[in-house]
Amino acid sequence: MQKQRSLYETKTVVQKDAEFDVTYNDTVTSDNQTIYAFNHTVSRNKTEGVRVTVDVLSEGAESSPILFVVRQKQAVLSFQVPLILRGLYQRKYPYAHVGRTLCQPPTRSLTETQYFFVDVSTLSSLGTHYQLRISRVDSFTLHTDKKFSFTASPSQPQYFKYVFPDGVDTVIVKVNSEMTFPCSVMSIQDIQCPVYDLDNNVAFIGMYQTMTKTAAITVQRKDFPSNSFYVVVVVKTEDEACGGPLRFYPLRPDELIDAGNRSKTLDVVVSPAISSDVYVMGMLFCLGIFLSFYLLTFLVACVENKRMHRRREGLLNPTDMSPAETASLLGKPGVNPVSPYEYGSFVDNASTLSSEAITDSIASDANYGYMERSLESVAGRSRQESLSSIEEDDYDTLADIDSDKNIVRTKKYLCVSDLARKDKRVLSKKYQIYFWNIATIGVFYALPVIQLVITYQTVVNVTGNQDICYYNFLCAHPLGNLSAFNNILSNLGYVMLGLLFLLIVLQRDVIHSRALDRNDLNALECGIPKHFGLFYAMGTALMMEGLLSACYHVCPNYTNFQFDTSFMYMIAGLCVLKLYQKRHPDINASAYTAYACLAAVIFFSVLGVVFGKGNMVFWIVFSVLHILATMLLSTQLYYMGRWRLDSGILRRIVYVIYTDCIRQCSGPMYIDRMVLLVMGNIVNWSLAAYGLLKTPNDFASYLLAIAICNLLLYFAFYIIMKLRSGERIQCMAMVCILFTAVVWGFALFFFFQGLSTWQKTPAESREHNRDCIVLSFFDDHDIWHFLSSIAMFGSFLVLLTMDDDLNNVQRDKIFVF
């Protein structure tokens, strides 16, 4: 202690009165300490920054750096030179040139003279030369809509003050640079001391983002009681946080690394954000778009009902019609005309026919050649129980009925009546399970999702780390605790249009049920069998897609992308099942099997997102499973389920190849099915090869592309075969098809704009951000939400209406394909 006291007593302390904008060259040792005293006048109405710049001119100063301590009225700033900043794995980067901006304490007086002192000391016994300069920063305060350019580096961070003008409650701070690297950080901090402006402490308070070329943060007045804030820009010591390379070198203890020149030129501009009126307009715009579909549906229903009523009156009152009109209603080309004697019996039985069936038969512009049966035979037909009265359980367990399946389903030309033999009540209950299962899945899936995204948003608000969520920060409008309300609001279309589709399906279901209760012959034995369970499941899936997409956009990132795609897989799978069910109601997959397969798809989606990036083993395994699943499904579809996967499968395959390909060259029995399955295998094998060769980073979108390609292929095949079989597409269905195709085209255009991507780092993702394009409120991705929800709704309507032309055609005249 005595030795230390003597050292302290012999140490020389020199205090100098110093001035601004003067460079002081001096030497410091352990025996002397220099104090520079400054004074300046601070005005309450004008804020000026004060900047300290220090250079160390001596070599070898890293072992005994100089300590600079700036003592102010309400703050203390200390740093050493050379400044040592740490990177990953404890890498150390020394900086001999340091520049820091002093935190300005507030003043209550109109003007006030403030003093501050700069203490310079070291423990090195050797003299260390340095330069010190204190200067004013005239452009310390940022002005609204005025761009300001500056230069920053890891040891020379910059920050500026912004004061909210009157009438402005929200602003957006944008920082841009033409240089991708070095990596930088933009931070918004309250007006308080100290200001955290170094790479190792900038994340302590406030909101912050990493950036390469651009960063943007929306700031609200309510979050800053002083009505002002600091914009802090820090250049990082390494680029790994922005997706840049990490320099390799041997890891040695206490080794200092030369970081090189890491200066970066940037510009900052603060602009007013949208007002509350724009929020209201955005909400009204969103509601108006989708409520217009409700209004349009209501008008179409009224017109259709009026047309049905007029034609029904014309049919039941032929005396009020001209002979030509009567002939046009009852004697269509290709149908035997109804004689006056037969007409009376028809009217007597008209009460037993549903209004929907009569209307559809009248509304048809043409009929089919194979419908040459008189109305009298329809009216007088016996309503005895058919094969459809057999219970499903009995039908599936009896051995003789099982052999009947093999006889019926392996015919060369199948009709819908061959695959619609089970009890309608049993099948209806079977398909209703689709709806109840997806409703249950949705509840159990959505609850933890909502809880998780609330947690994510809370973490973002508390920590200020805006790298957690991948927003389009140039068009992310906060509302309350939600950071991007516009992306959430635009998902309203999925929910509203899904509900509208459920109402349309319910209306059709009620009409069909009433027809069945009246034992209507058309409802019982004509047209495609009507089972609405899958339609209800599709509408529910569309609503859940909207809810989960909104949850995902609360904080979109790498870990919760699955929320946005799970029900997209569900929708694609349900649409394929509905297409197949139309003409294969007896052999369509059960709800449990279908959802189990979709669960497997989602499971692989999760595995692909987590392990698929650059993992060749995963891609090999997935491609093999993809091809095997395609082959098994092809076999199931080709043989209508009449095959067995057991130990004798290889022997049977060899036998078929020998008899059909070697012994005699015979073509496939089911040519149409073979064409579809060959095309499907070509598409799926090509997609599997693409995935194996390219290994795309976005595995979830790749898997969704597989599902959509198969759906489009099957849908195109269905339309082609429908027209090839002599059927036609009614006006309403054709309008839906054309409208949906156009909307899908525009929707995909906006989808591929790619405003952000969680496959890259947050800083790289922000390079894709763009300004709002609609009402200064919605961006390109919001337009994708609008258009895709409308397109999905239109696609569902196509599936619902495309076979309405068959409502009066007997099922034994409708071909299966």
Side-chain angles (χ1 to χ4, degrees):
M1 295 295 292
Q2 293 296 328
K3 184 177 181 180
Q4 292 177 359
R5 186 177 298 111
S6 63
L7 287 174
Y8 178 77
E9 289 173 355
T10 58
K11 191 170 186 177
T12 304
V13 179
V14 178
Q15 179 169 328
K16 300 179 179 180
D17 292 332
E19 297 179 357
F20 284 84
D21 299 318
V22 176
T23 301
Y24 293 93
N25 292 278
D26 212 334
T27 302
V28 63
T29 66
S30 59
D31 296 331
N32 66 76
Q33 177 181 351
T34 304
I35 300 176
Y36 298 89
F38 293 85
N39 67 82
H40 66 130
T41 302
V42 178
S43 173
R44 187 175 60 187
N45 298 327
K46 182 179 180 181
T47 302
E48 290 184 345
V50 176
R51 189 156 181 87
V52 179
T53 304
V54 176
D55 286 281
V56 173
L57 306 177
S58 300
E59 298 291 337
E62 292 85 357
S63 58
S64 296
I66 304 177
L67 179 64
F68 291 83
V69 179
V70 182
R71 293 178 286 123
Q72 298 176 263
K73 181 179 180 180
Q74 297 180 8
V76 175
L77 173 66
S78 63
F79 56 91
Q80 69 175 48
V81 182
L83 181 65
I84 307 297
L85 296 177
R86 294 182 181 271
L88 290 177
Y89 311 112
Q90 300 304 313
R91 293 178 171 88
K92 298 179 181 178
Y93 300 90
Y95 295 91
H97 180 70
V98 179
R100 304 290 297 277
T101 303
L102 301 183
C103 180
Q104 292 299 303
T107 177
R108 296 182 179 179
S109 304
L110 185 62
T111 59
E112 178 182 345
T113 301
Q114 292 187 356
Y115 298 88
F116 66 92
F117 304 90
V118 181
D119 301 350
V120 185
S121 61
T122 184
L123 294 180
S124 174
S125 58
L126 302 176
T128 304
H129 298 282
Y130 67 90
Q131 288 183 346
L132 173 67
R133 182 182 179 89
I134 306 294
S135 57
R136 289 185 173 88
V137 182
D138 296 330
S139 55
F140 183 68
T141 301
L142 299 174
H143 300 282
T144 305
D145 288 329
K146 290 186 178 181
K147 182 184 295 186
F148 176 73
S149 298
F150 60 95
T151 301
S153 69
S155 61
Q156 301 177 78
Q158 299 275 9
Y159 68 86
F160 309 94
K161 183 179 180 180
Y162 179 80
V163 180
F164 281 97
D166 295 336
V168 176
D169 294 326
T170 306
V171 296
I172 180 169
V173 182
K174 302 176 185 177
V175 177
N176 299 288
S177 175
E178 295 182 357
M179 307 168 61
T180 302
F181 296 110
C183 179
S184 309
V185 178
M186 190 255 280
S187 173
I188 303 297
Q189 300 180 21
D190 199 0
I191 303 295
Q192 60 181 7
C193 299
V195 176
Y196 296 94
D197 60 350
L198 291 177
D199 184 19
N200 55 8
N201 63 17
V202 68
F204 285 179
I205 64 171
M207 301 177 288
Y208 63 93
Q209 295 177 0
T210 55
M211 65 167 285
T212 51
K213 289 186 175 182
T214 183
I217 295 180
T218 300
V219 186
Q220 301 180 81
R221 183 195 290 263
K222 67 180 182 62
D223 297 327
F224 296 93
S226 62
N227 293 329
S228 57
F229 57 86
Y230 285 136
V231 179
V232 184
V233 178
V234 178
V235 177
K236 296 182 70 66
T237 58
E238 294 174 338
D239 297 329
E240 192 270 343
C242 294
L246 186 63
R247 296 169 57 186
F248 173 80
Y249 65 93
L251 292 176
R252 298 176 183 173
D254 300 325
E255 181 179 4
L256 298 178
I257 308 302
D258 182 11
N261 181 19
R262 293 188 63 81
S263 296
K264 187 169 186 175
T265 302
L266 309 101
D267 55 71
V268 58
V269 61
V270 183
S271 304
I274 61 173
S275 63
S276 58
D277 294 339
V278 180
Y279 278 86
V280 175
M281 287 298 299
M283 296 178 191
L284 293 177
F285 174 79
C286 186
L287 286 172
I289 288 178
F290 300 113
L291 287 177
S292 65
F293 281 88
Y294 281 78
L295 178 61
L296 180 61
T297 302
F298 176 75
L299 293 177
V300 170
C302 291
V303 171
E304 185 69 15
N305 184 61
K306 186 176 181 180
R307 185 181 65 87
M308 289 168 57
H309 183 70
R310 184 185 300 118
R311 291 184 177 243
R312 189 186 307 117
E313 287 182 345
L315 178 64
L316 299 178
N317 299 282
T319 56
D320 297 336
M321 304 176 63
S322 65
E325 291 174 328
T326 305
S328 65
L329 289 174
L330 302 177
K332 297 181 181 179
V335 181
N336 292 333
V338 182
S339 67
Y341 305 101
E342 293 174 330
Y343 184 77
S345 61
F346 171 74
V347 174
D348 292 337
N349 288 279
S351 60
T352 63
L353 298 175
S354 67
S355 60
E356 182 187 27
I358 294 173
T359 305
D360 288 336
S361 64
I362 295 171
S364 301
D365 297 329
N367 221 319
Y368 304 103
Y370 52 73
M371 288 184 63
E372 296 180 358
R373 58 191 181 97
S374 65
L375 296 175
E376 181 183 12
S377 62
V378 175
R381 182 170 179 170
S382 173
R383 299 181 183 182
Q384 59 185 0
E385 288 293 321
S386 64
L387 287 174
S388 62
S389 63
I390 301 175
E391 291 293 335
E392 182 184 23
D393 295 338
D394 298 335
Y395 186 88
D396 285 338
T397 57
L398 294 176
D400 56 338
I401 298 297
D402 189 64
S403 64
D404 181 61
K405 285 184 181 180
N406 292 329
I407 294 172
V408 171
R409 297 183 190 176
T410 55
K411 292 194 307 184
K412 187 171 184 179
Y413 298 105
L414 278 173
C415 296
V416 170
S417 58
D418 297 323
L419 298 178
R421 309 176 70 180
K422 295 184 181 181
D423 191 337
K424 296 178 179 59
R425 294 165 299 175
V426 174
L427 282 182
S428 294
K429 291 180 180 179
K430 171 185 175 181
Y431 290 122
Q432 284 296 330
I433 296 175
Y434 275 97
F435 166 69
W436 292 112
N437 277 9
I438 202 169
T440 305
I441 292 170
V443 170
F444 280 91
Y445 193 93
L447 289 178
V449 165
I450 294 173
Q451 181 181 8
L452 182 61
V453 296
I454 290 175
T455 302
Y456 269 121
Q457 187 66 76
T458 303
V459 170
V460 171
N461 294 336
V462 171
T463 64
N465 181 7
Q466 298 207 351
D467 283 354
I468 296 176
C469 305
Y470 287 68
Y471 300 120
N472 174 16
F473 287 92
L474 293 178
C475 185
H477 305 301
L479 182 66
N481 291 326
L482 299 174
S483 297
F485 174 70
N486 55 300
N487 291 152
I488 298 171
L489 177 65
S490 59
N491 285 282
L492 182 64
Y494 296 104
V495 179
M496 294 185 64
L497 294 182
L499 178 60
L500 178 59
F501 182 73
L502 289 178
L503 294 175
I504 294 173
V505 173
L506 177 62
Q507 186 256 357
R508 287 206 168 204
D509 193 2
V510 170
I511 291 177
H512 181 66
S513 298
R514 290 174 179 173
L516 291 179
D517 292 340
R518 293 194 303 268
N519 292 323
D520 190 325
L521 283 179
N522 280 41
L524 289 170
E525 300 187 11
C526 293
I528 298 295
K530 293 178 174 57
H531 302 291
F532 298 95
L534 272 167
F535 282 128
Y536 286 122
M538 289 161 55
T540 305
L542 186 59
M543 296 178 67
M544 288 304 304
E545 169 61 25
L547 174 62
L548 293 176
S549 179
C551 291
Y552 165 71
H553 283 285
V554 169
C555 183
N557 57 46
Y558 168 82
T559 58
N560 63 9
F561 180 72
Q562 190 60 49
F563 303 162
D564 195 35
T565 57
S566 294
F567 273 81
M568 293 294 288
Y569 301 133
M570 293 281 193
I571 291 172
L574 290 172
C575 288
V576 171
L577 286 170
K578 185 59 194 178
L579 268 176
Y580 189 76
Q581 181 221 37
K582 280 178 171 291
R583 308 205 180 211
H584 308 78
D586 285 358
I587 60 175
N588 202 23
S590 68
Y592 308 111
T593 303
Y595 288 131
C597 293
L598 291 172
V601 171
I602 295 174
F603 173 74
F604 274 103
S605 176
V606 174
L607 290 182
V609 170
V610 178
F611 303 110
K613 189 175 182 179
N615 189 340
M616 185 56 66
V617 174
F618 170 83
W619 281 98
I620 292 174
V621 172
F622 174 78
S623 298
V624 171
L625 292 176
H626 182 193
I627 292 173
L628 288 177
T630 301
M631 295 175 64
L632 290 174
L633 183 60
S634 299
T635 306
Q636 176 74 14
L637 296 178
Y638 185 76
Y639 290 107
M640 294 288 185
R642 310 317 300 155
W643 69 288
R644 296 189 306 275
L645 182 61
D646 53 21
S647 58
I649 184 66
L650 293 178
R651 178 177 54 83
R652 293 195 295 273
I653 292 175
V654 172
Y655 180 77
V656 170
I657 294 175
Y658 174 74
T659 56
D660 293 351
C661 299
I662 299 177
R663 186 174 179 180
Q664 60 178 6
C665 185
S666 58
M669 180 177 292
Y670 316 110
I671 297 178
D672 295 334
R673 266 180 271 168
M674 179 60 70
V675 170
L676 169 65
L677 296 175
V678 168
M679 293 179 60
N681 276 269
I682 291 174
V683 170
N684 282 277
W685 287 46
S686 300
L687 290 170
Y690 173 82
L692 195 59
L693 295 175
K694 298 295 184 179
T695 61
N697 293 331
D698 191 354
F699 180 79
S701 296
Y702 167 76
L703 197 59
L704 185 59
I706 293 175
I708 293 176
C709 285
N710 282 277
L711 172 60
L712 293 178
L713 176 64
Y714 189 27
F715 185 78
F717 172 82
Y718 191 96
I719 294 293
I720 293 171
M721 291 302 300
K722 181 178 177 66
L723 298 176
R724 184 167 171 263
S725 300
E727 301 173 14
R728 64 185 181 82
I729 300 175
Q730 288 188 341
C731 179
M732 180 62 69
M734 182 59 69
V735 170
C736 290
I737 291 174
L738 296 177
F739 172 77
T740 302
V742 172
V743 175
W744 268 125
F746 284 103
L748 292 175
F749 171 79
F750 286 101
F751 175 76
F752 287 114
Q753 295 305 303
L755 302 183
S756 63
T757 171
W758 50 263
Q759 305 164 56
K760 300 179 181 179
T761 63
E764 292 174 307
S765 173
R766 273 185 281 275
E767 294 181 14
H768 303 280
N769 289 177
R770 296 183 191 172
D771 292 322
C772 307
I773 61 173
V774 176
L775 300 176
S776 300
F777 192 79
F778 297 110
D779 62 14
D780 294 50
H781 197 72
D782 294 320
I783 305 304
W784 152 255
H785 286 163
F786 291 144
L787 295 179
S788 62
S789 61
I790 295 171
M792 287 185 188
F793 175 71
S795 301
F796 290 179
L797 289 181
V798 171
L799 288 175
L800 184 65
T801 61
M802 65 187 303
D803 285 318
D804 284 353
D805 60 304
L806 303 176
N807 283 340
N808 301 312
V809 181
Q810 281 192 324
R811 289 171 188 166
D812 57 357
K813 305 298 183 182
I814 303 175
F815 293 108
V816 172
F817 40 81

